[in-house]
RNA sequence: GGCGACGUACCCAAGUGGUUAAGGGAGAGGUCUGCAAAACCUUUAUUCGGCGGUUCGAAUCCGCCCGUCGCCUCCA
């Protein structure tokens, strides 16, 4: 598995610290509002990473944090007159619901910042002992001058930074513009915790250092997020973690690019700010959005358009239809030896599919391997040269690919008996050549979201 | 100002030195079908933003130019 490491800006082989096992930390949400589709792109990227690692035969321990105390959550809770934890729980539930809808596999751990304040305090104390901090007005700051490697991830040039006007207006006192808060002194009416440095709350960056090292050890394999995390968040995490342990923190840093809408940055004022619910209201198929995400490499900007979503939905339907068709052929149990060597074709397909993913998660190329395979399989079915074992092998390959794609239905849905009866009645009508009645039933079911397709083997239905 | 990314058909997009430039969507024509849908077949880039250069050979490497965008400040 080759991955592009932001640290060094090179694509390199993943060599797990512990053979066969990958430990990864994926920066999670700040639970202060409903996720937008840009956030979701990042979470789907991390899901594809996880699933690709698993497909490659590696085991994975994934940690995703929930930031449930920071300026935004405190402000939001105050605005809604809720206790901080009531406020954040609401959005945490929304977050997990979105992930489930998008068929994102759960991580092993979802630590919340407020459950790990003692760990953060301990880490700050270590940094203090090692001379990386200073305090003023009850706040604790990381002194960047004590960490010479600062900037190695983002390649930021500190000498170019100047003390600007913004800093003069800052409510806190710090020595240098780039120094950042490890601990913020309590303000009236805000949640706070007791600490050796006084009442206060943790800074944002320290939570990820403390929680990642708690669950994954001082050094682990992968750390991911979206590009905007490179600076300052991840740069600061490195400074804190390596400053505290004196060891390398993370081997490979992966960052996904942003999603834009109609060529522009998503923003509420432009009216192009979409949540999952907005997308599903327009196209009730989470798989379509997932597919759309996968059709662009994670390191390229993704331009979301409704036209693109519609196209993705069509493509997803093709894959699902082919899968359903294969299941039918496999179930029909024809043992007549087929001329089409599905088993060997399935093998070459999967090799190409896997190869693409192992090349820095090249999902567009992986998808490019799917369709020629489907076309050949469909042709073989049309020409009656695919036998049941072959259909089984092809279907199995498709399900293997779907371990990463995540767009096939978990199992065949069963229709309500009443609808089944309608389909039966229509088959009868067609036998009687009462096409008016047959078309009436088909239209009726279509209006209820059930699309019928007549084939040689009978009538098949799908949701439309 | 500093750092960086990108520009391949109507749209999305793979391809980063060498067969006819993947694949998907959309459009057009056709086969099949009671009709439809699905599926399949055919079709849509002598060309990869522009101009130079390196090379036997470049979409792929180098330079310049044009254009789009990001980060440097909370932001996935």
């Amino acid at each position: 598995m080759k991955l592009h490491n932001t640290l060094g800006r090179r694509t390199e082989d993943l060599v797990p610290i512990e053979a066969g096992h990958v430990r990864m930390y994926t920066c999670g949400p700040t639970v202060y509002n409903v996720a937008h589709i840009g956030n979701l792109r990042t979470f789907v990227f991390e899901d594809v990473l996880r699933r690709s690692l698993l497909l490659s035969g590696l085991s994975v321990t994934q940690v995703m944090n929930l930031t449930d105390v920071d300026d935004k959550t405190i402000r939001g809770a105050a605005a809604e007159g809720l206790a901080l934890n009531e406020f954040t729980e609401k959005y945490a539930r929304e977050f997990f619901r979105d992930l489930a809808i998008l068929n994102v596999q759960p991580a092993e751990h979802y630590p919340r910042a407020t459950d790990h304040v003692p760990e953060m305090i301990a880490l700050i104390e270590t940094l203090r002992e090692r001379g990386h901090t200073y305090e003023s007005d009850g706040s604790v700051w990381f002194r960047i001058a004590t960490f010479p490697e600062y900037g190695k991830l983002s390649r930021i040039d500190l000498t170019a930074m100047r003390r600007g006007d913004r800093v003069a207006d800052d409510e806190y006192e710090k020595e240098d513009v780039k120094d950042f808060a490890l601990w913020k002194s309590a303000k009236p009416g805000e949640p706070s915790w007791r600490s050796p440095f006084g009442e206060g709350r943790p800074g944002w960056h320290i939570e990820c250092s403390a929680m990642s090292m708690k669950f994954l050890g001082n050094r682990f394999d992968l750390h991911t997020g979206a590009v905007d995390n490179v600076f300052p968040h991840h740069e600061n995490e490195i400074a804190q973690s390596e400053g505290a342990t004196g060891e390398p923190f993370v081997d490979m840093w992966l960052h996904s690019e942003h999603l834009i809408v109609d060529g522009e940055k998503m923003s509420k004022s432009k009216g192009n700010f979409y949540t999952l619910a907005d997308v599903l209201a327009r196209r009730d198929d989470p798989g379509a959005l997932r597919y759309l995400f996968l059709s662009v490499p994670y390191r390229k900007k993704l331009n979301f358009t409704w036209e693109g979503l519609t196209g993705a939905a069509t493509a997803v339907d093709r894959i699902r239809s082919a899968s359903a068709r294969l299941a039918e052929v496999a179930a029909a149990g024809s043992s007549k030896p087929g001329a089409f060597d599905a088993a060997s074709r399935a093998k070459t397909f999967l090799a190409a599919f896997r190869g693409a993913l192992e090349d820095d998660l090249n999902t567009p190329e992986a998808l490019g391997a799917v369709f020629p395979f489907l076309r050949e399989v469909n042709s073989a079915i049309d020409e009656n040269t695919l036998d049941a074992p072959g259909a089984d092998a092809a279907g199995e390959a498709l399900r293997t690919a779907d371990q990463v794609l995540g767009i096939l239905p978990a199992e065949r849905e069963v229709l309500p008996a009443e609808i089944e009866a309608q389909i039966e009645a229509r088959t009868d009508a067609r036998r009687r050549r009462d096409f008016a009645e047959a078309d009436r039933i088909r239209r009726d079911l279509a209006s209820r979201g059930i699309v019928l397709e007549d084939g040689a083997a009978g009538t098949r239905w799908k949701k439309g």
Side-chain angles (χ1 to χ4, degrees), chain A residues 228-295:
Chain A
D228 54 88
N229 283 148
V230 175
F231 185 86
H233 186 49
H234 289 162
E235 194 70 62
N236 290 351
E237 279 188 56
I238 291 174
Q240 292 166 341
S241 304
E242 300 190 351
T245 66
E247 304 171 42
F249 177 42
V250 169
D251 282 8
M252 300 179 87
W253 292 85
L254 274 50
H255 295 96
S256 60
E257 250 299 346
H258 280 169
L259 174 150
I260 56 179
V261 172
D262 294 326
E264 295 186 308
K265 191 166 175 172
M266 192 167 27
S267 76
K268 285 182 176 161
S269 58
K270 283 180 188 152
N272 63 355
F273 186 96
Y274 301 124
T275 64
L276 182 57
D278 295 330
V279 171
L280 296 182
R282 195 99 161 231
R283 168 72 61 172
D284 188 20
D285 181 0
L289 185 61
R290 232 189 116 91
Y291 182 98
L292 184 64
F293 288 161
L294 300 199
S295 70

Side-chain angles (χ1 to χ4, degrees), chain A residues 59-291:
Chain A
S59 63
V60 172
T61 300
Q62 180 188 359
V63 177
M64 179 178 277
N65 66 299
L66 268 63
T67 300
D68 59 355
V69 56
D70 78 323
D71 293 342
K72 295 189 291 282
T73 48
I74 291 170
R75 206 182 304 131
E80 294 188 21
L82 292 173
L84 182 65
N85 67 327
E86 289 174 332
F87 176 80
T88 57
E89 263 318 301
K90 186 170 70 172
Y91 292 109
R93 276 197 300 274
E94 293 280 322
F95 166 70
F96 286 119
R97 196 181 49 90
D98 284 354
L99 293 194
I101 289 172
L102 281 171
N103 197 16
V104 169
Q105 283 185 358
E108 278 64 32
H109 305 282
Y110 288 102
R112 284 161 162 80
T114 53
D115 291 333
H116 295 84
V117 175
E119 285 87 342
M120 298 183 220
I121 291 172
L123 189 58
I124 296 170
E125 288 200 279
T126 302
L127 286 168
R128 183 163 70 164
E129 285 158 20
R130 293 175 65 108
H132 288 294
T133 69
Y134 61 93
E135 297 169 39
S136 70
D137 295 338
S139 291
V140 183
W141 303 92
F142 188 96
R143 183 182 277 121
I144 283 179
T146 65
F147 191 73
E149 290 185 276
Y150 192 86
K152 66 180 175 182
L153 180 70
S154 58
R155 301 195 166 174
I156 198 159
D157 180 5
L158 284 181
T159 61
M161 310 296 292
R162 287 166 327 195
R163 184 177 279 258
D165 294 334
R166 290 180 60 85
V167 180
D169 295 336
D170 202 306
E171 50 206 304
Y172 300 102
E173 280 302 316
K174 50 181 174 176
E175 294 176 0
D176 189 278
V177 193
K178 301 320 299 172
D179 288 347
F180 57 92
L182 297 167
W183 188 261
K184 296 182 170 185
S185 63
K187 285 192 265 185
E190 291 191 353
S192 64
W193 286 259
R194 198 159 291 210
S195 84
F197 340 105
E199 279 285 316
R201 61 182 168 94
W204 173 40
H205 311 295
I206 197 71
E207 83 172 62
C208 285
S209 287
M211 297 196 291
S212 62
M213 291 196 287
K214 171 177 177 174
F215 287 93
L216 299 173
N218 288 356
R219 177 183 166 211
F220 53 94
D221 302 292
L222 305 177
H223 194 132
T224 75
V227 282
D228 54 88
N229 283 148
V230 175
F231 185 86
H233 186 49
H234 289 162
E235 194 70 62
N236 290 351
E237 279 188 56
I238 291 174
Q240 292 166 341
S241 304
E242 300 190 351
T245 66
E247 304 171 42
F249 177 42
V250 169
D251 282 8
M252 300 179 87
W253 292 85
L254 274 50
H255 295 96
S256 60
E257 250 299 346
H258 280 169
L259 174 150
I260 56 179
V261 172
D262 294 326
E264 295 186 308
K265 191 166 175 172
M266 192 167 27
S267 76
K268 285 182 176 161
S269 58
K270 283 180 188 152
N272 63 355
F273 186 96
Y274 301 124
T275 64
L276 182 57
D278 295 330
V279 171
L280 296 182
R282 195 99 161 231
R283 168 72 61 172
D284 188 20
D285 181 0
L289 185 61
R290 232 189 116 91
Y291 182 98

